[in-house]
């Protein structure tokens, strides 16, 4: 039998060096989340299938990992004689190889339980959060500001930068429709990426603007098509975009009316001015303009000058659930990941699916793995030292080791991460260990040092050697 | 359709209040792990089934959560005509209702792929760690000291204190058979529980002692039975223990020889003295005594006086894989959880199952959920404040809110967690929010304060009210 020594396709191990960097990202986002009053929650990795299914569209449902019922589930599925006959009939009628999927049909038509999976791994943090809010509604004080940093699983085809297990870092405010929450999302994004030294562009859109554009040109149902078409304008040009719209069944009159918008060039302020005229008295449109103007205006005064804020009418993410603001964040560092590293928006009825209607929320999600890639590509991770071992004691033999255990104890009590090599192995092997683990100080205590009450110390960075007392060593490291 | 708004059986949500307490436990164990030079790794939630199956005994295998293959797996299982005929034959032969489990037999006898699950959720952190070590053997410097804090999943019957998803906090040293590693396990246990203010007893046993006892009494294969019997001595008495041993097929002569050990009363030192004579020249036994003596003797000098160390010959955990030391930790606080809150041992060939033989390791696992219960029962959680919101600004209206956003910014820049209520709701509602979220300071800034450049401040603990400047407020909170 071949021995499996790999992680499943699309999943990864994290080594100590990667862990330190990942924790740097997690610690940074969490510290900012807390600074704005977000509180942590965690939900289980698995949810009842009914909680997840039907929330992410057909494509999403297909990517949900299902968990087999525990116990000897196979034995619990029993077919009657009629099942078998119906099964064979199906086979003959079709004149094709019998498929297992037919079996479930047959079984259910006979009323035999066929469930082999009732649980699934969470696909994102938003739906489990909605379930949490409904389940705990009586314990929660609204508006509820929560953060959640946990892995999610998707049975996507693995490829570079796309994994089947990855971490999301989410904040949401639920139970308040004030635009101050949207402003806060921008502030949090600005502060997170400022701390990580990544200049970013925050693109903002609003579903109300898109709906209004579709309405004023006379194609109210086509707003997703229009948005997607606008998004392609830079790449394929006006003519091809118009052709595409025609192919999607939009007639000439609306396309004609869309042309001024497609041809308009300008910055965010100019775009907003243009839209005021373009959308005229359309109520949804005016509301959209007011919302975007307020969020942009207020946020602009509060954020750092490294973050660029812009209105982007082509931003179409999550249009099936966002009802107001839509956010997306991209790195402005040349040569780093160009896809979105964070995104979110306003949804007006997320908890409605679980029987608690009319609760508005707004949230944003930070993709830890993509942020990792940006920091890595731009070489922006700081040097990490204090978290790992600071002093390493060479093991010269039983007596020396026993003596060193006492010294280690003193250093640890002073808060210094300390190791003693567990065996009196060859010097070279022990030094290799210290080197490979990037331990900055190596302490050598032989009989001579034991008698003198000193420690032979080697600075592994400078190569410098010295003789110190325990208190001098503590002093040296704690500064 | 009824709407599911619960977590799956045996799983839990963690609210903000619980998260803070759990993080206190995680932060404490991690800080101690780091102080001893353990480095963090993480492995994926799912492993290939072959990695996990067959590692935990039959009972363990049954409790592993299996994941359905992704995609439309049902459609991929195709039966041939022969499958169907064989299936119907089976049914007729048995004269009973056809079972789905027969279907897999039929299919496999015809060579049709029947796999519907190739992945599973990890059952513990030890087997994934062994897989990690083998997979990354060329990147690792041995001895490798790693810590890992992640959830595991078991399809156990849920009951009080037993969950289907729970966190383990593990350390292991792999690639060194020095007893200094065993000593270090005791030191880490001592330091973790000292920090958590939980006095504990660390029970130590050694598989070599148990094997030797079984050898000297002449029942070398029965050492698990003997250990279990000894464990029951206090509860059911000598006579019933002897009966049980007889029922398990152990003859009178060995039982007779076991009596002196059963009747022996004494502390750890006396027990070791007794064993020296009792085990005589048995080589395994003498080695076991030497190991236990060294670990106990060295550790005793290094640990705090709140931790009790004792030899417990009835300790039988993990006997199917531990080859040397066995550890178990129990709380000494009256009225708290009496079951084990931490445990581990020495295993000599963990990675052998993955084709990398002769690598010895020793490890210990801290059960976060059980430690939580002990701290909760004994009321040992400290007060947590600095991590959550420290200052809450009441929202008096649009203008005041805009002004307060600037003040919030200044406080946050000073490192103070600050919130502004997103809506100008009724005062009572806003104060309830501050109260329920246990925010210690409420700031009130109306037109008067805006003009005077002051902040009306209410200390929510003392009820005291005052008027302060921003810098005074920062001073007040940062101390």
């Amino acid at each position: 039998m071949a021995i499996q020594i790999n992680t499943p396709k699309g999943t990864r191990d994290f080594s100590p060096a990667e862990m330190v960097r990942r924790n740097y990202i997690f610690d940074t986002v969490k510290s900012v989340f807390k600074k704005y009053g977000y509180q942590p929650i965690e939900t289980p990795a698995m949810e009842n299938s009914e909680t997840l299914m039907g929330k992410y569209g057909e494509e999403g449902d297909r990517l949900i990992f299902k968990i087999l019922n525990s116990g000897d589930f196979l034995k619990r599925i029993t077919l009657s004689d009629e099942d078998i006959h119906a099964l064979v009939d199906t086979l003959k009628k079709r004149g094709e190889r019998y498929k297992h999927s037919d079996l479930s049909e047959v079984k259910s038509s006979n009323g035999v339980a066929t469930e082999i999976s009732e649980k699934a791994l969470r696909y994102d943090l938003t739906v489990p959060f909605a379930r949490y809010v409904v389940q705990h509604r009586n314990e929660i004080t609204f508006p509820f500001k929560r953060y959640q940093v946990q892995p999610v699983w998707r049975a996507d085809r693995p490829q570079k930068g796309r994994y089947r297990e990855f971490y999301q870092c989410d904040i949401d405010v639920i139970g308040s429709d004030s635009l101050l929450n949207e402003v806060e999302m921008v502030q949090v994004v600005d502060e997170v990426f400022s701390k990580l030294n990544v200049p970013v562009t925050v693109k903002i859109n609003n579903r109300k603007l898109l709906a209004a554009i579709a309405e004023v040109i006379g194609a109210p149902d086509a707003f997703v098509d229009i948005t997607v078409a606008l998004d392609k304008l830079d790449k394929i040009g006006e003519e091809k975009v118009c052709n595409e719209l025609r192919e999607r069944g939009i007639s000439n009159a609306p396309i004609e009316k869309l042309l001024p918008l497609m041809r308009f060039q300008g910055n965010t302020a100019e775009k907003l001015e243009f839209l005021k005229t373009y959308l005229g008295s359309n109520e949804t449109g005016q509301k959209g303009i007011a919302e975007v103007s307020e969020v942009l205006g207020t946020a602009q005064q509060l954020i750092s000058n490294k973050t660029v804020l812009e209105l982007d009418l082509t931003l179409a993410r999550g249009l099936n659930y966002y009802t107001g603001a839509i956010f997306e964040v991209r790195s402005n560092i040349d040569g780093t990941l160009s896809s979105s590293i964070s995104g979110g928006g306003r949804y007006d009825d997320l908890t409605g699916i679980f029987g608690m209607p009319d609760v508005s929320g707004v949230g944003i999600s930070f993709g830890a793995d993509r942020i990792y890639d940006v920091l890595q590509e731009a070489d922006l991770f700081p040097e990490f030292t204090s978290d790992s071992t600071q002093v390493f004691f060479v093991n010269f033999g039983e007596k020396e080791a026993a003596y060193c255990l006492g010294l280690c104890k003193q250093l640890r009590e002073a808060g210094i991460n300390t190791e003693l090599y567990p065996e009196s192995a060859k010097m070279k092997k022990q030094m290799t260990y210290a080197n490979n683990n990037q331990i900055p100080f190596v302490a050598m205590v032989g009989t001579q040092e034991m008698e003198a009450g000193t420690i032979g110390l080697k600075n592994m960075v400078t190569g410098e050697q010295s003789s110190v007392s325990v208190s001098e060593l503590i002093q040296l490291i704690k500064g």
Side-chain angles (χ1 to χ4, degrees), chain A:
Chain A
M1 190 188 79
I3 293 164
Q4 278 278 5
I5 51 157
N6 288 305
T7 59
K9 200 171 57 168
T11 68
R12 300 157 291 168
D13 289 322
F14 297 110
S15 70
E18 290 161 327
M19 285 294 293
V20 174
R21 292 174 170 199
R22 288 171 63 83
N23 284 338
Y24 165 67
I25 296 172
F26 292 136
D27 292 345
T28 303
V29 296
K30 284 181 192 172
S31 73
V32 177
F33 294 168
K34 285 179 201 164
K35 212 183 261 183
Y36 285 80
Y38 292 83
Q39 300 186 70
I41 70 158
E42 277 184 14
T43 62
M46 47 179 84
E47 293 278 352
N48 291 317
S49 298
E50 287 161 74
T51 302
L52 303 183
M53 299 303 281
K55 310 302 188 299
Y56 306 103
E58 211 174 299
E59 172 67 6
D61 278 3
R62 227 178 43 75
L63 300 183
I64 292 172
F65 276 113
K66 285 105 190 160
I67 297 166
L68 280 178
N69 289 342
S70 52
D72 209 347
F73 75 94
L74 287 168
K75 297 223 171 96
R76 281 194 270 129
I77 299 173
T78 306
L79 296 188
S80 65
D81 284 16
E82 293 81 47
D83 293 335
I84 301 293
H85 291 307
L87 183 157
V88 175
D89 283 350
T90 309
L91 175 77
K92 286 184 183 159
K93 255 183 260 165
R94 301 211 180 172
E96 60 174 17
R97 285 168 72 81
Y98 178 77
K99 289 205 186 74
H100 193 291
S101 53
D102 299 327
L103 186 61
S104 18
E105 286 165 36
V106 172
K107 282 185 288 180
S108 50
S109 74
N110 281 276
V112 179
T114 60
E115 285 296 353
I116 59 168
S117 166
E118 289 159 349
K119 290 182 290 291
L121 292 177
R122 68 170 161 254
Y123 176 89
D124 71 358
L125 302 179
T126 310
V127 170
F129 174 56
R131 194 264 311 140
Y132 178 96
V133 168
V134 176
Q135 190 175 331
H136 302 274
R137 60 205 292 177
N138 296 324
E139 308 148 32
I140 294 172
T141 307
F142 294 94
F144 183 42
K145 299 171 80 169
R146 85 86 173 76
Y147 77 80
Q148 193 170 353
V149 176
Q150 289 194 281
V152 302
W153 295 270
R154 294 185 187 176
D156 238 326
R157 189 181 298 274
Q159 59 184 56
K160 194 182 174 309
R162 194 202 280 165
Y163 305 102
R164 292 185 150 191
E165 173 180 75
F166 57 97
Y167 268 76
Q168 291 192 332
C169 314
D170 278 25
I171 51 169
D172 286 86
V173 186
I174 197 159
S176 161
D177 52 16
S178 162
L179 290 174
L180 285 180
N181 299 305
E182 273 84 343
V183 171
E184 189 163 281
M185 295 293 137
V186 179
Q187 287 182 278
V188 169
V189 167
D190 170 59
E191 194 159 334
V192 162
F193 289 107
S194 294
K195 284 205 168 188
L196 295 173
N197 289 310
V198 178
V200 292
T201 293
V202 183
K203 291 160 179 266
I204 299 188
N205 199 358
N206 193 302
R207 186 204 173 101
K208 294 188 177 80
L209 292 181
L210 302 175
I213 291 168
E215 281 170 22
V216 298
I217 66 170
D221 297 330
F223 78 105
V224 173
D225 291 336
I226 293 166
T227 311
V228 173
L230 288 174
D231 187 33
K232 290 185 179 169
L233 197 58
D234 280 351
K235 279 167 240 145
I236 62 174
E238 185 181 300
E239 204 181 311
K240 283 186 182 158
V241 164
C242 292
N243 287 342
E244 270 200 17
L245 288 172
R246 262 175 228 115
E247 279 163 27
R248 288 165 188 270
I250 297 165
S251 57
N252 277 327
I255 294 177
E256 201 70 30
K257 286 188 188 151
L258 197 60
L259 286 178
L261 180 65
M262 282 168 63
R263 288 174 185 163
F264 181 78
Q265 301 282 335
N267 62 24
T268 295
E270 291 160 350
K271 262 187 230 164
L272 281 168
E273 273 312 307
F274 173 83
L275 282 174
K276 267 183 202 162
T277 316
Y278 184 73
L279 298 178
S281 60
N282 181 290
E283 211 175 302
T284 312
Q286 292 308 326
K287 192 151 190 345
I289 292 170
E291 286 187 7
V292 169
S293 305
E294 186 176 337
V295 172
L296 287 174
T298 311
Q300 191 64 64
Q301 293 168 39
L302 295 164
I303 61 174
S304 77
N305 56 14
K306 281 182 194 144
T307 299
V308 178
L309 263 187
E310 67 177 39
L311 170 63
D312 182 351
L313 291 173
T314 69
L315 191 61
R317 66 182 292 145
L319 275 180
N320 44 338
Y321 44 95
Y322 291 140
T323 51
I326 304 170
F327 302 106
E328 195 167 273
V329 182
R330 285 167 197 271
S331 156
N332 287 339
I333 305 174
D334 281 346
T336 60
L337 191 75
S338 59
S339 60
S340 140
I341 51 178
S342 176
R346 159 79 64 182
Y347 40 84
D348 270 343
D349 195 20
L350 187 69
T351 56
I353 47 178
F354 300 119
M356 182 180 173
D358 303 323
V359 182
S360 187
V362 56
I364 198 155
S365 180
F366 293 79
D369 298 273
R370 291 188 172 178
I371 295 172
Y372 187 100
D373 289 346
V374 169
L375 294 178
Q376 185 78 3
E377 285 161 1
D379 200 14
L380 283 174
F381 281 112
E383 291 272 340
F384 301 101
T385 49
S386 64
D387 218 34
S388 44
T389 298
Q390 293 153 290
V391 180
F392 171 80
F393 278 82
V394 173
N395 186 329
F396 286 107
E398 217 169 300
K399 263 191 203 139
E400 293 86 347
Y403 179 86
C404 287
L405 280 175
L407 297 176
C408 288
K409 188 176 154 75
Q410 288 180 64
L411 291 181
R412 288 180 188 132
E413 277 167 0
I416 297 168
N417 299 341
T418 309
E419 279 184 73
L420 164 67
Y421 200 81
E423 286 156 28
S424 56
K426 281 192 186 137
M427 191 66 174
K428 199 187 159 200
K429 195 178 174 195
Q430 297 193 45
M431 293 307 278
T432 302
Y433 179 89
N435 242 324
N436 289 357
N437 286 306
Q438 296 178 290
I439 302 172
F441 292 98
V442 170
M444 281 165 280
V445 181
T447 25
Q448 213 180 316
E449 284 82 5
M450 281 168 69
E451 276 164 25
T454 58
I455 298 168
L457 193 71
K458 183 172 180 182
N459 181 322
M460 296 292 278
V461 182
T462 63
E464 206 182 333
Q465 304 218 16
S466 57
S467 177
V468 295
S469 67
V470 192
S471 52
E472 282 168 346
L473 178 53
I474 293 172
Q475 184 75 24
L476 180 70
I477 295 190
K478 303 294 283 186

